[in-house]
Amino acid sequence: MARRKKPSPQLADSKPKSRYWVWFKRLMWTGLTIGFIGFVALATSVWIAMQSLPSFEELKQSPNGQTIRVHAADGSILMTLGPTYGRWLKKEEIPQIMTNAMVAVEDRRFYSHLGVDPVGMARSTWVAVQNRGTGRRMQGASTITQQLARNIFLTNSYTYSRKMREAVLALAMERKFSKDQILELYLNKVYFGGGSYGIDAASRRFFNHSATSLSLSEAAIIAGLVKAPSRYSPTADAEAAVDRAKVVLQVMQDAGAITPGQAVAANPVAVELAPEPAQTSARYFTDWALPQLDVLIDETAEPLDVWTTLDPALQRSATASVKANAPRGVQGALVSLDRDGAVLAMVGGTDYVTSNYNRATKAVRQPGSAWKVFVYMAALEAGYKVNDMVEDKPVTIKGWSPRNSSGRFSGDVSLRTAFAYSLNTVAAQLGEEVGYASVANMAKRFGITTPINTHPSMVLGTSEVRVIDMARAFAGVSAKGAAVTPYGITKVTTADGKLLYNHTPEKGAQLIDPWVAAGITDLMQTAVNTGTGRAAQIGRPVAGKTGTTSSNKDGWFVGFSSGITTAVWMGRDDSKAVGNYLQGGKAPAKAFADYMRVAVAKRPVEQFDTQVTLPEWQLEAEEPGQEFGAPGEGQFVDENGMPIQIEPEVPGIDNAANPDGPPPATRPDRPDRPEINQDWIDGVTGRRGNGDSGSGSGAGSGTGSNERDRDRGREWDRDRNDRPFPPNAPPPKAPQSKAPPPRGNDGVFVE
C-alpha cells in the first residue's frame, strides 16, 4: 500500500494567511473609500460654508447686542447697560505683547494649523469619552478660529453637533481670511467679562484706558479672562485675576513669547484697577425710566445714549435722608419732582443691593391722612372757605364712627385748624357732605391710578396708592391746579449723536380752579407751620401733609417748596406695625426736611400764592345787590352762579322763593317790580345770614341742593338757645371753641 504524503507546513498556512489578507485589504479599501467620501463631504461643507460667510468688513460691523449709556442731568454716566464695545483696533494698532499673550494662552499652534488643531481635537474627544455619563462638559483645545466661529455664528451649547459645525466654520474661515484678519476679529469681538467685548472695551472697563497702551502685566490679566470671564474678572475677584495672570506669564515664557527677565519684571499685583461702579440707589430710577424707551423710540440695534432728569447730588441726598431717618427694619421710598414733572431723585428702598424692589413706583400702601388733601379740595370746590367753622364732634356714618388720634373732640374749629391738626371727624363729615364719589373723582383727576373705594372710611386714606402718584398729585397743587406728569428721559441719541427723541414740555390741563389750589395750599402751609407737619420746616415756606395709618404701619409726608415736590413713605414690607416714630409727622417729615434743605438750597425763596379770589357766586356784597349787577337790570344769579329769572311780584303776596319772609316792598317809580335789597336777595338765593366766617357757606355747587343751603341759612336766624334774632340784626359770628385742639403727650398735635 502506498503511503500518503503529509502536506507541507507552508502550504498548510497559506490558506489562513490569504483569508486574513483578503479581509485586511477589504477593510483598508472600505476605510479609504469612507475617508474619501468623508473628505469630499467635508470639503463640500467647507466650500459651502465659505461661500455663505460674510465679508471681513461686514463682520467688523456686526455687534452682538445693543449698548445703552444712561446719563444724569449733569451729563455724567449713571450706568451702562448691555454689551460694551470699545474702539475697533486694527491689527497694527494692537500691542504685539497682547497678541503674543493671547496666542500663547489660547492657541499656541495658531500659525501652523488649518483652523482645527488635530492634537487638541483628539484630546477633547478622549476627555469626552472618559467623562461620558458624568455630566461634565467636553474639554478641549478649541483654536482661536473655532472660538471666533462660535462667538459669531453659534451658541455655547456643549454638543457633538455644535463641535462639528464649529470645526467646519473654522476651516472655512481659514480659507477665506488671513491669520491676521482672524486675530483682529477675535481680539475685537471675544468676551472678556463685565459686559465688555473686545480688548479695547476690556481695557477701558478694567484699567480705565485704551488697549493701545496695554502693559505686559495688563495684557496678561486680559488674556487670562477668556477661559472664565466671570471667575477671573479683576472687579469680581482681584486675587483670582492676579493668580491667573501669573499663569499666563509662565505660559508665555514657555512658548518663547517673552524672556524670563520680562516674566520676572512683570508685576500683575501692582496693576491699578478701575473702580467698580457702585450699585447705587440710582438703579431704582433707571429701572423705572429705561423701559419707557420701548414706547419712545424704535431703535433696537444701534448703541444709544439716554439723557435723564436725575440729579446725582439730590439722589445722594435723598438716599442718605431715607437711610438716616428710617427706623430699624423699616423700608423707605422717596420721589422728588421738579415743577414740570422732571424726576430729580427716586429712592425705592434703603439698599438696592439687598432689595431691588422699587417701592416708589410699584408698592401700593394706604396714605392715611395725606389723603385728606383730596377731601378738602373737594370741599373747597363745593363752596367751603378756609375760615369756615366746622364742629369737631362724635359722628357715626353708616355704622362707622371715626375718632381722632387723641380720643378727644375740640368743638367748633375753623377748616384751617381741622386740616392742620388732621381731625378725623371733620374729614368724615366733609366727605359725607360733598360725596365720596366727588373725593374719588378729585383723586383721579390728580393722577391717582390705583382703585379707589367709596366707603365712608375712604376719607381717612384707606385706598392704597403709589408714592409716585402722591408726588404727582401734590405737584399739581403746587402748579396751582394744573396737571403734572412725571418723566425721567429728556432725550435719546445714537452713539454718533443722531437725535431719536427729545422731550417736549406741555402745559398740563387745569384740574381745579386756582382759588381752590390757593385754598388747599393755605391749609397745607398751616399744617407745616403750626400743625402735624412741623418737623418738615426748612426755614422757607413749605406746604405739605402728614399721613399715618392704623397701628403706625405706614408713615407719609408729602409737600412742596420752591417748585420742588417730594413724597416720602416709610413702613415695613410685611405691613407689620412700627413704633410711634414712624408717624408721618416724625420720621417721614424729618427725611423730607433733610432732603429738601439740599434740594432747594440753590433756588430762590418762593412765597405761596394763597390769596383766594373767590368766584362771583361765593362773594358777599359790600352793598345790597351790587355783586349781581346794578338794580333794575333784571338779571340775577343763584348761589351756583347761574342766571335766574325774577317775575314781578304783587304787593301783599309772599315771594315763592322766600315763603317764610314778609312780602317785599315795591319801588315807588316801578310798582310792578319789588324793591331790591339784601333781605330780598338773600331770600331769593337761599343765602340768608351767610357771613364770611359762617358755616353756611360750606356746601355749594355739585354736592348740595338749594333746599339744604336754605336750611343752613335758617340756622342763623336763631341763637343757640333757639331764640329768634331781632329783625335786621347782623348775622352772628360763629362760636369759637374754648379749648385748643388736642395735643399729644409730646406737645405735637397728632392725627
Side-chain angles (χ1 to χ4, degrees), residues 266-333:
N267 186 12
V269 178
V271 172
E272 184 176 350
L273 300 176
E276 176 73 4
Q279 295 291 325
T280 65
S281 64
R283 288 295 303 272
Y284 289 117
F285 170 80
T286 56
D287 289 350
W288 167 76
L290 292 182
Q292 301 169 27
L293 290 175
D294 294 337
V295 178
L296 301 179
I297 61 173
D298 297 326
E299 181 60 59
T300 58
E302 283 283 332
L304 301 178
D305 281 292
V306 179
W307 305 82
T308 70
T309 60
L310 196 76
D311 187 313
L314 297 190
Q315 180 66 28
R316 289 191 295 269
S317 175
T319 304
S321 299
V322 171
K323 285 184 176 181
N325 290 282
R328 184 181 180 87
V330 170
Q331 282 290 348

Side-chain angles (χ1 to χ4, degrees), residues 402-425:
R403 63 180 183 84
N404 298 322
S405 296
S406 65
R408 292 177 292 176
F409 305 97
S410 304
D412 292 330
V413 295
S414 69
L415 208 67
R416 181 185 286 111
T417 299
F419 183 89
Y421 300 111
S422 204
L423 301 180
N424 292 335
T425 59

